[in-house]
Amino acid sequence: MKLITISVPAYNEQESVVKLYETIVEVMGAIKDKYTFELLFINDGSKDNTLEIVKQLHEKDDRVGFVDLSRNYGKEIAMAAGFDYAKGDAVITMDADLQHPPELITQMVELWELGYEDVYARRNKRHGESWLKKATSKSYYKMLQKVTKTPVLPDTGDFRLLDRRCVDAIKKLRETQRYTKGLYNWIGFKKVEVTFDAAPRHAGETKWNYRSLINLALEGITSYTTWPLRLSTIAGFAISLGTFIYLIYILIKTLIMGSNASGFPTLMITILFLGGIQLTSIGIIGEYLGRIFNEVKKRPLYFVEEYNGEKEDVK
C-alpha cells in the first residue's frame, strides 16, 4: 500500500494537537484499505506542552512521528524539515490549528491517483479574519502576480498534496530565504485545485500578526522577483530625465529673462526629493545584499534536537 505523510509544522499548538490527530485518524480510516499514513509533527521550538503531547501520541500510535527542531526557525524552515523527513509516496502539508479541514484529504488523494502531482487547496472564504487582512492580502497577491515571471496563486496557502517527485524537487532548493508558496510554482509539475472554506482557529491565537505578515510579504517580493531593483533603475532614469529637462528650462529662462535670487523653496524640495529617492534605492539594494550575505554563508537550514525520541547527530 502507498504511504501518505501528513506534515504539520507546530508552534505552541498544545490545544489543537490532539483534536487534529483524532480528526486525521478518522479521515484516513475511511481509506485504510488502500493507504497507510504517518502523521509527522514538526515542533518549531514550542514553549508550551506541544512537544510533550506529541510524544504521548507517538507512544500511543506509531503512525505519529515528530521532528523536534533545536529552536524556533519559523514556519518556512519547519516545512522544509517536514519535506526532508517525510517518507511518504505523497506528502500533505497542513496547519495544526484545524483551519485546513482534514476532510479534504480524501479528495486530494483521489486527484493524486488521477495523475496530478501538486493538489493545492484554495480558500473560498476566510472566517475569523478582519476585512483589513483580507483586503491587504488580495492587493498583495495582485501586485505580486504583475511583477513575477512565475505566477503565485492567490488565496492558496501551504495546504496541499505533493507527489514524491515534487517533494524531491523542493528538497533540492536549499535557499535560506525561503518563500515556499513561490517554490511550489517554480518547480512546475502537473497541478490541480480544490477549494475549501477556512474555518476559525480551533484554539489558541494566530502566530501571524501584521508584523509577521509584512515580513513574509517582503520575503516573497525580494526572494521571488528582482522587480524592486528594476523599479529603482526606472525611477532613477525618469528623475534624471526630468532633471535634465528642468535644467534646459532654467538655462533658457536665464538667457532670456536674466537670473534672480528666487527659487530657494524649489531647490530644497528638489534636493529632499532626490535624497529620498536615493535612500530608498539604497535600502532596496541593501535588502538584496542582506539576502546574498545570508545565502553565501551556506549555513544549514536547521538543526534537529531529536527525531522520534532519538537524539540527532549534527551532520
Side-chain angles (χ1 to χ4, degrees):
M1 291 191 294
K2 294 181 179 179
L3 173 64
I4 297 174
T5 297
I6 302 171
S7 176
V8 183
Y11 176 66
N12 294 344
E13 296 288 357
Q14 62 180 13
E15 298 94 344
S16 303
V17 166
V18 174
K19 178 63 175 177
L20 177 66
Y21 163 76
E22 293 173 346
T23 306
I24 287 178
V25 168
E26 181 180 351
V27 170
M28 297 305 295
I31 54 175
K32 64 181 179 180
D33 294 337
K34 295 182 179 179
Y35 308 96
T36 58
F37 78 96
E38 67 167 342
L39 177 55
L40 182 64
F41 287 97
I42 315 300
N43 181 50
D44 189 25
S46 297
K47 296 179 174 64
D48 61 3
N49 294 321
T50 298
L51 180 60
E52 287 71 22
I53 296 173
V54 170
K55 285 183 176 181
Q56 292 172 9
L57 293 174
H58 173 67
E59 293 175 359
K60 169 186 171 183
D61 188 343
D62 60 7
R63 295 174 298 181
V64 177
F66 65 91
V67 177
D68 181 26
L69 300 183
S70 61
R71 65 172 177 84
N72 176 246
Y73 288 90
K75 184 182 178 182
E76 296 289 323
I77 300 299
M79 287 194 298
F83 293 135
D84 289 341
Y85 281 83
K87 301 175 182 177
D89 300 292
V91 178
I92 297 173
T93 59
M94 62 187 304
D95 293 344
D97 55 16
L98 290 169
Q99 287 190 298
H100 296 160
E103 295 78 11
L104 204 61
I105 290 176
T106 304
Q107 184 180 352
M108 288 179 161
V109 172
E110 290 174 353
L111 290 169
W112 173 51
E113 290 290 11
L114 291 176
Y116 295 101
E117 296 164 303
D118 181 353
V119 185
Y120 62 89
R122 182 175 63 82
R123 293 180 292 266
N124 285 324
K125 298 179 181 179
R126 298 183 177 195
H127 298 290
E129 293 187 357
S130 66
W131 68 268
L132 179 60
K133 187 175 180 180
K134 295 176 184 177
T136 52
S137 176
K138 183 177 180 180
S139 300
Y140 167 72
Y141 281 109
K142 185 179 293 186
M143 180 271 294
L144 196 60
Q145 290 276 29
K146 293 181 179 179
V147 300
T148 58
K149 295 180 180 179
T150 306
V152 177
L153 302 171
D155 296 319
T156 60
D158 301 304
F159 186 26
R160 62 180 65 212
L161 180 150
L162 298 174
D163 183 78
R164 172 50 60 178
R165 293 180 67 209
C166 296
V167 174
D168 290 341
I170 289 180
K171 285 169 62 177
K172 292 180 179 294
L173 309 178
R174 305 307 288 182
E175 57 214 59
T176 59
Q177 310 295 311
R178 302 180 72 82
Y179 185 64
T180 313
K181 292 182 181 66
L183 299 183
Y184 292 138
N185 289 281
W186 189 87
I187 62 172
F189 296 104
K190 192 174 181 181
K191 304 181 186 297
V192 68
E193 171 189 295
V194 294
T195 59
F196 72 101
D197 293 337
R201 287 181 58 88
H202 171 69
E205 297 180 356
T206 179
K207 313 306 183 294
W208 292 98
N209 53 35
Y210 281 105
R211 180 180 178 182
S212 301
L213 291 172
I214 290 172
N215 288 335
L216 179 64
L218 291 175
E219 197 73 59
I221 293 172
T222 53
S223 299
Y224 202 54
T225 175
T226 57
W227 173 78
L229 291 173
R230 182 167 297 178
L231 180 63
S232 296
T233 302
I234 295 172
F237 177 79
I239 292 172
S240 297
L241 180 61
T243 302
F244 180 75
I245 294 173
Y246 184 67
L247 175 65
I248 299 297
Y249 165 75
I250 293 297
L251 179 62
I252 295 175
K253 180 181 177 181
T254 301
L255 291 175
I256 295 176
M257 304 180 61
S259 63
N260 54 58
S262 62
F264 180 75
T266 303
L267 178 63
M268 289 303 299
I269 291 172
T270 303
I271 292 174
L272 292 174
F273 175 71
L274 292 176
I277 292 294
Q278 290 172 339
L279 289 174
T280 301
S281 299
I282 292 172
I284 292 172
I285 294 172
E287 286 287 335
Y288 282 92
L289 284 177
R291 280 155 175 74
I292 294 172
F293 174 71
N294 288 328
E295 293 293 342
V296 298
K297 287 187 285 189
K298 296 294 182 181
R299 290 178 178 174
L301 292 182
Y302 57 87
F303 289 110
V304 174
E305 178 67 27
E306 59 180 313
Y307 170 55
N308 286 347
E310 300 289 335
K311 293 290 184 180
E312 283 283 276
D313 294 331
V314 177
K315 300 176 181 180

